Amino acid sequence: MKNKMPTDPQATHETVALYNRLFNLAEKGIMLGHQDDPLYGHGWYGEQDRSDVKGMIGDYPAIFGFELGHIELDSEYSLDSVYFSQIKKHVKEHHARGGISSFSWHADNIATGNSTWDCAQDTVVRSILSGGSLHKEYLVWLERLANFFLDLKDENGVYIPVIFRMYHEHTGDWFWWSNQQSTPEEYKQLWIMTCDYLQKTKQVHHLLYAYSSSNVQSEEHYLERYPGDQYVDILGFDHYLKGREQKNVEQYKIDFERNIKIVTKCAEQSDKLPVIGETGEESIWDPTYFTNVVYPIINKYKLGWILFWRNAWEPDKPNHYYLPYPGHSSESDFKQFVDKPLILTNKDVYQQ
């Protein structure tokens, strides 16, 4: 197989190696991913060497998702109350055992000071682009983001390559960068400006960039805001099973497979890696969600990974979890899912 090159022309040797490793792993199977897996879980927070997944199957997921929301505020901890120092620690530990880390960034709304979900305006993206009224302020935010990435080094001081899944779910309408809050051209400019700042101004060259829509209807819909092959390494989408009725399960199956078809086709055309950026069913009320809903669909496609959303630790969110935990009624179904040869956990990718 010809060596594949990331879009960053100055990508580090390790980043090029990771990019090619991801394609090679996709030939072997689909990596299991879980958001914030080693940081907290259902009913616990910050315990060393603990993980809801590890508690069930004796191994970590191959992919960890982490959240950078509030890094832009120069905060010590994320919007999920996780210290960024702990995230760095777990990235390094996971890297040392062959695991891979991916980052999302629910940045606050710089125009209002409210959360990323404050999307009543359609001028925020325009205001932070070059020439915009908040451009200089936003560059400060990007600098704080860059400084976090520049602190991700292994024990030898070598930058750890990671995936940055920025400005995600942009085809929806619930973030300040979404489709009702910015034009396709403004969104593309925001993406390109961010890449250029990280690479050219801050010399961050150990990122792979993942483009991840929400539920889309067609290739045209998926690519409407696509910034171009020269700025994206990985193609994905985010889609959840919502609603506690069988009709919702059936609709999820239809939407889920349609999006996989779109992403895999676009990835093949652009020679990119297709992935499932986020998915899941909150509180997993369907007892065969993993083996009868997810697996029969994903086993027909070549995908880099599937990342399930977080298992919240907060006492006021007892039903906000997307993977089982030890003792949960879906634990056996999840174990059967993971036992499939197609599903790769940390031990399966350790020496790849």
Side-chain angles (χ1 to χ4, degrees):
M1 184 187 293
K2 181 183 176 184
N3 208 36
K4 296 181 184 292
M5 298 304 295
T7 52
D8 182 351
Q10 297 185 63
T12 65
H13 171 79
E14 292 76 19
T15 308
V16 174
L18 173 60
Y19 196 45
N20 284 272
R21 181 174 168 233
L22 292 174
F23 280 94
N24 291 334
L25 283 165
E27 295 293 327
K28 180 180 178 182
I30 301 172
M31 288 187 285
L32 174 69
H34 190 209
Q35 183 74 6
D36 283 347
D37 184 83
L39 295 164
Y40 55 79
H42 186 74
W44 64 273
Y45 173 95
E47 296 182 28
Q48 184 66 26
D49 299 324
R50 188 169 178 182
S51 149
D52 283 349
V53 170
K54 188 179 178 186
M56 292 184 289
I57 67 170
D59 191 23
Y60 288 108
I63 295 270
F64 284 166
F66 293 111
E67 171 57 39
L68 292 176
H70 289 181
I71 196 78
E72 73 278 2
L73 306 180
D74 207 23
S75 172
E76 289 186 30
Y77 48 86
S78 74
L79 53 81
D80 296 315
S81 302
V82 173
Y83 282 89
F84 291 115
S85 59
Q86 284 298 303
I87 294 177
K88 293 173 186 175
K89 169 180 172 287
H90 284 293
V91 169
K92 294 170 185 176
E93 290 179 354
H94 199 45
H95 174 70
R97 57 176 173 258
I100 299 151
S101 296
S102 175
F103 291 89
S104 53
W105 183 32
H106 291 83
D108 274 8
N109 183 324
I110 196 169
T112 66
N114 296 325
S115 79
T116 195
W117 292 273
D118 178 12
C119 52
Q121 315 80 26
D122 62 2
T123 57
V124 181
V125 171
R126 200 174 318 141
S127 74
I128 61 181
L129 295 174
S130 181
S133 59
L134 295 171
H135 178 64
K136 289 184 178 178
E137 288 88 340
Y138 196 70
L139 291 185
V140 174
W141 282 20
L142 290 182
E143 181 176 30
R144 290 167 179 163
L145 176 74
N147 289 341
F148 173 90
F149 285 132
L150 290 170
D151 206 26
L152 296 180
K153 298 178 182 178
D154 66 16
E155 64 278 5
N156 297 316
V158 177
Y159 288 119
I160 297 171
V162 297
I163 295 133
F164 187 26
R165 193 169 56 92
M166 62 183 183
Y167 308 130
H168 67 305
E169 299 177 10
H170 51 279
T171 52
D173 61 1
W174 43 85
F175 297 139
W176 56 256
W177 57 80
S178 298
N179 69 358
Q180 299 300 305
Q181 290 70 38
S182 63
T183 67
E185 190 54 39
E186 287 168 350
Y187 179 84
K188 293 174 189 178
Q189 288 179 36
L190 172 63
W191 186 287
I192 293 167
M193 178 187 78
T194 303
C195 286
D196 284 349
Y197 180 84
L198 291 172
Q199 294 172 22
K200 297 175 182 178
T201 303
K202 294 297 291 183
Q203 301 299 309
V204 178
H205 298 301
H206 55 292
L207 304 184
L208 296 172
Y209 295 87
Y211 174 88
S212 200
S213 71
S214 50
N215 184 26
V216 295
Q217 304 301 318
S218 65
E219 288 178 56
E220 293 75 23
H221 188 191
Y222 184 70
L223 296 173
E224 182 183 29
R225 292 170 174 257
Y226 187 61
D229 286 347
Q230 67 271 41
Y231 291 98
V232 175
D233 301 298
I234 294 164
L235 298 184
F237 72 96
D238 302 1
H239 187 54
Y240 290 87
L241 197 169
K242 296 178 181 177
R244 301 176 70 92
E245 298 179 30
Q246 190 58 35
K247 66 178 182 180
N248 303 107
V249 175
E250 297 309 314
Q251 189 60 50
Y252 172 79
K253 289 179 181 178
I254 293 168
D255 294 339
F256 195 53
E257 184 151 23
R258 182 184 62 251
N259 280 266
I260 292 175
K261 285 180 177 178
I262 290 168
V263 167
T264 52
K265 185 176 179 182
C266 290
E268 184 176 9
Q269 291 170 344
S270 300
D271 201 22
K272 309 292 183 185
L273 181 77
V275 305
I276 299 170
E278 291 179 30
T279 196
E281 171 190 74
E282 188 177 40
S283 74
I284 322 166
W285 59 271
D286 182 336
T288 60
Y289 169 72
F290 299 100
T291 58
N292 281 352
V293 179
V294 175
Y295 189 79
I297 296 175
I298 65 172
N299 75 349
K300 295 182 279 184
Y301 301 92
K302 197 171 290 183
L303 296 159
W305 64 81
I306 178 170
L307 185 139
F308 295 94
W309 201 238
R310 73 191 192 108
N311 286 9
W313 64 273
E314 297 92 332
D316 64 339
K317 296 182 176 66
N319 298 315
H320 190 64
Y321 57 88
Y322 293 85
L323 283 185
Y325 48 85
H328 187 273
S329 58
S330 291
E331 180 179 4
S332 62
D333 184 61
F334 178 68
K335 285 181 175 179
Q336 290 177 50
F337 173 78
V338 173
D339 281 344
K340 307 281 189 185
L342 182 69
I343 304 302
L344 310 178
T345 60
N346 190 195
K347 70 178 187 307
D348 299 314
V349 306
Y350 184 74
Q351 292 182 323
Q352 294 296 316

